[in-house]
């Protein structure tokens, strides 16, 4: 069930909301105060089962085993405690490795065998018939963080129903954000959050509508420009490559930003504040700033549970660079089982190493991004280049598109620009039109791309519109902290958002999955 589907908007969501608040009203006694949380947990499990009911037992087994391991960690001491942690982490990572990486490993071994001269009939292994359970990366990472914090003695909440809800909570379950128990479980345990509030509905529906518009009106309309360029064997020319890569760069931006907004808005309807996960990353002045703004909860997880345990920056520059590379390589592999994702992670690791080395040698760049524009442009181009490998179906296609961006496949124009040949000829230009025929520049794609670029670079983001928050990065991740409204609904605002929602409904002629669902 997709957030941008009619079944969700007009079926699932109203029923879950009505049941949640009705149970709060009907069960005022202390013995029934968990009823709204139980209802929301059951609704979240149903939401997951809607995708493929065969994997619901897998999710439930993962929840039960990890909850039991967390309780055991809390009761254990010394070496026994460490053994429990190692066993629980091995089980989680083993499950993730089987479902997500088994075929990647088999394909890599077979590729090496073929390169060594083995025939097709003598390959070491055959691929496994595995269907990736949706959301497995997110609920696995969420529980790994919980286990590590149990080992560190940082967990105080062990109520089972709150843990089930913490892992399976439907606004985040499929594509994040990566939740932390410290932020979420106290909110699930607070009975006041089950009381309906007009402010929560006003801001929740507004943020959800903005996210829906990002997905339906922007991201989905950029997809037709990107798909033909990234097709295997497409060999795009210079302008086609730039159009396709830019289209995917902003498609992913608005698709993921839209999902993050929709998740925050949906959760706010239930009185629960999710952590921010997206903060105008294309405005970043350097690559470290980009990772403080892009998929913020994943960046925090990689920092706290991988980079710092590896040693962080505590043991000299050489080991710091090693830790950065390892963190980003594993972060790339987390996104997908393929060498393209490994290269994408390696590129970002290299970017971070180069940035740290530059700052060590010459000092950090001074001034704001809008006063010194070149760091923003350089960062954006580096990120865009890495997205080529992130999106491409294989390494060969990624290299071909990278070469096309530099003109290796020629500079002919797409056929959609043929009508402008006469005006170009006036300037002494006589371009050929041998490009990819399927790019439809006459449609909404190109104007939407230009509008998307303007919004990403110049418009305020969602939290800048709705919230004032302390600038410290850690405060952003603490939704129970000191937040203040900078916005109040007005009649004009309500009419405008109603019109935007109706436009999204009419734009949902084809319901598409969010790009991060594949991870």
């Amino acid at each position: 069930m997709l957030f941008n589907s009619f079944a969700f908007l007009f079926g699932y969501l109203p029923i879950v909301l009505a049941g949640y608040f009705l149970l709060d009203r009907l069960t005022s006694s202390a013995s029934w105060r968990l009823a709204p949380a139980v209802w929301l947990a059951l609704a979240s499990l149903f939401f997951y089962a809607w995708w493929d009911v065969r994997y619901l037992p897998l999710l439930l087994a993962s929840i039960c085993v990890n909850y039991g391991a967390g309780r055991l960690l809390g009761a254990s001491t010394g070496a026994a405690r460490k053994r429990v942690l190692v066993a629980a982490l091995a089980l989680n990572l083993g499950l993730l490795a089987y479902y997500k990486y088994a075929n990647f490993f088999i394909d890599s071994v077979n590729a090496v065998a073929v390169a060594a001269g083995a025939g097709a009939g003598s390959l070491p292994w055959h691929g496994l018939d595995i269907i990736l359970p949706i959301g497995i990366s997110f609920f696995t990472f969420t529980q790994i963080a919980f286990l590590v914090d149990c080992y560190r003695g940082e967990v105080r909440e062990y109520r089972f129903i709150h843990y089930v809800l913490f892992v399976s909570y439907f606004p985040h379950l499929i594509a994040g954000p990566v939740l932390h128990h410290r932020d979420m479980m106290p909110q699930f345990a607070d009975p006041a959050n089950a009381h309906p509030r007009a402010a929560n509905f006003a801001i929740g529906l507004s943020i959800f509508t903005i996210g829906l518009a990002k997905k339906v009106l922007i991201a989905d309309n950029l997809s037709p420009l990107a798909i033909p360029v990234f097709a295997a064997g497409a060999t795009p020319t210079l302008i086609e490559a730039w159009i396709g890569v830019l289209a995917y760069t902003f498609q992913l931006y608005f698709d993921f930003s839209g999902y993050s907004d929709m998740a925050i808005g949906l959760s706010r309807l239930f009185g629960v504040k999710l952590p921010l996960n997206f903060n105008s990353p294309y405005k970043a002045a350097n690559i470290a700033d980009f990772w403080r703004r892009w998929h913020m909860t994943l960046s925090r997880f990689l920092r706290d549970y991988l980079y710092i345990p590896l040693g962080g920056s505590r043991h000299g520059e050489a080991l710091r660079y090693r830790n950065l590379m390892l963190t980003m390589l594993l972060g790339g592999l987390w996104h997908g089982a393929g060498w393209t994702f490994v290269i994408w992670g390696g590129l970002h690791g290299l970017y971070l190493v180069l940035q740290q080395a530059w700052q060590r040698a010459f000092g950090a760049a001074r001034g704001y991004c809008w006063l010194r524009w070149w760091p923003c442009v350089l960062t954006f181009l580096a990120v865009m280049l890495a997205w080529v490998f992130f999106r491409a179906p294989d390494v060969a296609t990624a290299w071909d598109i990278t070469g096309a961006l530099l003109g290796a496949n020629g500079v002919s124009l797409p056929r959609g620009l043929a009508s402008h040949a006469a005006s170009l000829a006036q300037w002494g230009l006589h371009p050929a039109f041998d490009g990819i025929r399927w790019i439809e520049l006459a449609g909404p794609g190109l104007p939407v791309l230009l509008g998307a670029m303007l919004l990403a670079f110049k418009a305020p983001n969602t939290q800048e519109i709705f919230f004032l928050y302390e600038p410290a990065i850690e405060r952003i991740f603490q939704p129970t902290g000191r937040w203040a409204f900078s916005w109040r609904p007005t009649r004009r605002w309500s009419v405008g958002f109603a019109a935007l929602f109706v436009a999204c409904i009419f734009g949902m002629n084809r319901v598409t999955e969010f790009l991060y669902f594949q991870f």
Side-chain angles (χ1 to χ4, degrees):
M1 195 182 311
L2 294 162
F3 292 169
N4 54 322
S5 67
F6 292 105
F8 178 86
L9 292 173
F10 301 109
Y12 177 86
L13 183 60
I15 293 172
V16 175
L17 278 171
Y20 181 68
F21 293 120
L22 185 61
L23 283 172
D24 172 68
R25 187 164 186 173
L26 296 178
T27 57
S28 56
S29 65
S31 59
W32 287 94
R33 67 180 183 275
L34 292 178
V38 172
W39 167 261
L40 195 52
L42 291 174
S44 297
L45 294 174
F46 174 84
F47 179 83
Y48 188 80
W50 183 275
W51 296 96
D52 194 334
V53 71
R54 294 174 298 174
Y55 286 118
L56 180 60
L58 176 70
L59 175 62
L60 290 173
S62 176
I63 289 172
C64 292
V65 170
N66 282 291
Y67 175 77
R71 294 297 299 265
L72 193 57
L73 282 167
S76 303
T77 58
R81 191 176 191 177
K82 189 171 185 178
R83 286 195 294 269
V84 172
L85 176 66
V86 171
L89 293 180
L91 186 61
N92 280 279
L93 294 175
L95 188 70
L96 188 62
Y98 171 75
Y99 280 104
K100 196 165 185 177
Y101 303 109
N103 279 326
F104 170 60
F105 176 75
I106 291 172
D107 292 342
S108 299
V109 171
N110 288 340
V112 172
V114 170
S122 59
L123 293 178
W125 291 303
H126 296 288
L128 302 175
D129 186 16
I130 298 175
I131 299 176
L132 181 67
I134 194 165
I136 188 171
S137 297
F138 289 97
F139 69 70
T140 300
F141 270 31
T142 294
Q143 295 186 100
I144 285 175
F146 175 79
L147 291 172
V148 173
D149 287 347
C150 285
Y151 176 76
R152 295 171 177 172
E154 299 175 0
V155 176
R156 299 292 180 266
E157 168 65 61
Y158 285 105
R159 195 180 290 274
F160 179 67
I161 190 59
H162 294 152
Y163 182 78
V164 173
L165 188 52
F166 161 63
V167 177
S168 66
Y169 189 42
F170 78 89
H172 97 100
L173 178 60
I174 307 302
V178 179
L179 299 184
H180 195 277
H181 65 88
R182 182 180 60 243
D183 295 335
M184 303 309 300
M185 292 175 77
Q187 294 191 78
F188 294 139
D190 186 358
N193 287 335
H195 302 335
R197 290 185 174 87
N200 284 337
F201 274 84
I203 197 166
L205 289 173
S206 297
I207 293 177
F208 178 85
T209 302
I210 288 178
L212 184 63
K214 288 178 180 178
K215 168 62 176 173
V216 173
L217 303 182
I218 300 178
D220 287 352
N221 282 311
L222 293 176
S223 178
L225 292 181
I227 289 174
V229 171
F230 283 93
T235 61
T237 57
L238 177 72
I239 294 180
E240 290 170 341
W242 276 95
I243 291 174
V245 172
L246 283 170
Y248 179 72
T249 298
F250 288 95
Q251 178 197 1
L252 183 61
Y253 179 99
F254 284 97
D255 191 279
F256 189 36
S257 174
Y259 182 90
S260 299
D261 285 349
M262 293 167 80
I264 289 174
L266 286 171
S267 185
R268 193 59 179 262
L269 297 177
F270 295 92
V272 177
K273 299 175 183 177
L274 290 185
L276 299 180
N277 205 31
F278 208 85
N279 187 27
S280 299
Y282 290 169
K283 295 179 182 178
N286 56 61
I287 201 66
D289 189 28
F290 172 82
W291 278 105
R292 286 190 289 267
R293 294 165 172 265
W294 177 274
H295 210 332
M296 296 155 65
T297 56
L298 177 63
S299 298
R300 179 182 66 166
F301 178 92
L302 293 175
R303 181 197 66 193
D304 292 348
Y305 298 98
L306 187 56
Y307 176 70
I308 292 177
L310 283 172
S313 58
R314 299 190 300 271
H315 305 295
E317 290 300 308
L319 289 180
R320 180 185 190 180
Y321 298 155
R322 182 208 67 176
N323 296 337
L324 283 172
M325 284 298 300
L326 285 175
T327 299
M328 297 314 299
L329 284 170
L330 291 173
L333 195 58
W334 173 86
H335 279 84
W339 289 109
T340 52
F341 293 103
V342 175
I343 294 174
W344 174 78
L347 282 173
H348 275 277
L350 178 62
Y351 296 159
L352 288 168
V353 168
L354 291 175
Q355 181 218 343
Q356 295 297 324
W358 176 274
Q359 289 186 358
R360 182 175 176 84
F362 302 104
R366 298 181 181 274
Y368 293 100
C369 178
W370 52 88
L371 296 179
R372 300 186 64 178
W373 52 267
W374 64 267
C376 292
V377 174
L378 183 61
T379 301
F380 174 76
L381 291 175
V383 169
M384 186 187 73
L385 177 63
W387 287 142
V388 173
F389 291 88
F390 191 84
R391 171 62 175 83
D394 51 63
V395 176
T397 301
W399 282 119
D400 183 67
I401 295 172
T402 303
L405 292 172
L406 302 174
N409 295 340
V411 294
S412 59
L413 298 178
R415 293 177 181 272
L417 295 179
S419 59
H420 300 284
S423 59
L424 293 172
Q426 293 177 1
W427 297 90
L429 301 176
H430 302 279
F433 298 94
D434 300 326
I436 298 173
R437 301 186 182 193
W438 340 300
I439 287 188
E440 192 55 60
L441 295 180
L446 200 56
V448 171
L449 175 58
L450 296 175
M453 295 172 68
L454 185 64
L455 289 172
F457 289 122
K458 293 298 183 181
N461 59 39
T462 306
Q463 57 265 26
E464 288 171 341
I465 296 172
F466 290 98
F467 296 111
L468 292 174
Y469 57 84
E470 293 183 81
I473 191 68
E474 288 303 322
R475 176 61 61 187
I476 293 176
F477 294 119
Q478 296 178 18
T480 55
R482 296 190 297 276
W483 292 67
F485 287 109
S486 61
W487 167 87
R488 290 290 186 272
T490 63
R491 181 175 299 177
R492 180 179 298 179
W493 182 276
S494 301
V495 171
F497 266 74
L500 183 61
F501 182 79
V502 171
C504 292
I505 295 300
F506 280 102
M508 288 163 50
N509 50 5
R510 56 186 182 91
V511 178
T512 60
E513 288 189 354
F514 293 86
L515 296 178
Y516 255 74
F517 278 18
Q518 61 186 298
F519 310 132

